[in-house]
Amino acid sequence: GVLDHMGATVQSVNILPSNKISCTGDILIKQLGNVPFEVRTGLGTTGSGQVLTFPGLEIALGIGKALNIFIPVLPEIDVDIGCDAKIDSICIDGEKRCIKLNARATVTPKETAFGNSRDGSRRLNV
């Protein structure tokens, strides 16, 4: 059967020399209790910078430091960040242990001079 997870706690996030991000913590599984995990991934973009990708995403569950068996996560996962955002470049620098990000976003305040009418057209609020 399928294991029921009830939540997760992240204990650390690190930049690895292999130019990946590592996230470790515990997953609370109903049938097993707390199970340690580690997730590793790279970062990239597609779709003109509007889709964040996780190349090489892999996970290890319940494994101690002496034996790390990572399993690839398939199918690959990506996140569409929307048409109002664009990642121009993203790079994980394992040597300097940092992420270099060049991005832009369009931010529209909730209360603007323009509003949407019920028919979907834009009109000036006076």
Side-chain angles (χ1 to χ4, degrees):
V2 176
L3 298 177
D4 297 323
H5 87 284
M6 300 171 65
T9 302
V10 174
Q11 295 172 344
S12 70
V13 177
N14 296 298
I15 309 287
L16 303 175
S18 61
N19 297 333
K20 285 189 169 189
I21 297 172
S22 167
C23 176
T24 62
D26 292 304
I27 298 173
L28 179 57
I29 298 177
K30 186 176 181 180
Q31 296 88 340
L32 302 173
N34 282 328
V35 176
F37 75 89
E38 182 176 0
V39 174
R40 294 179 181 173
T41 188
L43 291 175
T45 61
T46 61
S48 302
Q50 294 175 329
V51 177
L52 183 62
T53 61
F54 301 93
L57 180 62
E58 56 190 3
I59 187 169
L61 292 175
I63 304 298
K65 293 289 182 188
L67 181 63
N68 288 323
I69 300 172
F70 284 88
I71 300 169
V73 176
L74 297 173
E76 292 185 358
I77 297 171
D78 58 34
V79 176
D80 188 330
I81 60 174
C83 61
D84 290 332
K86 180 180 181 188
I87 298 173
D88 293 318
S89 64
I90 189 165
C91 175
I92 300 172
D93 187 334
E95 188 175 306
K96 293 182 180 177
R97 302 189 114 177
C98 67
I99 299 174
K100 298 174 184 178
L101 172 69
N102 183 0
R104 59 182 107 177
T106 302
V107 179
T108 306
K110 185 176 180 180
E111 301 296 326
T112 64
F114 288 90
N116 290 323
S117 65
R118 290 181 185 203
D119 66 0
S121 63
R122 307 262 301 156
R123 60 179 168 71
L124 180 62
N125 292 329
V126 200

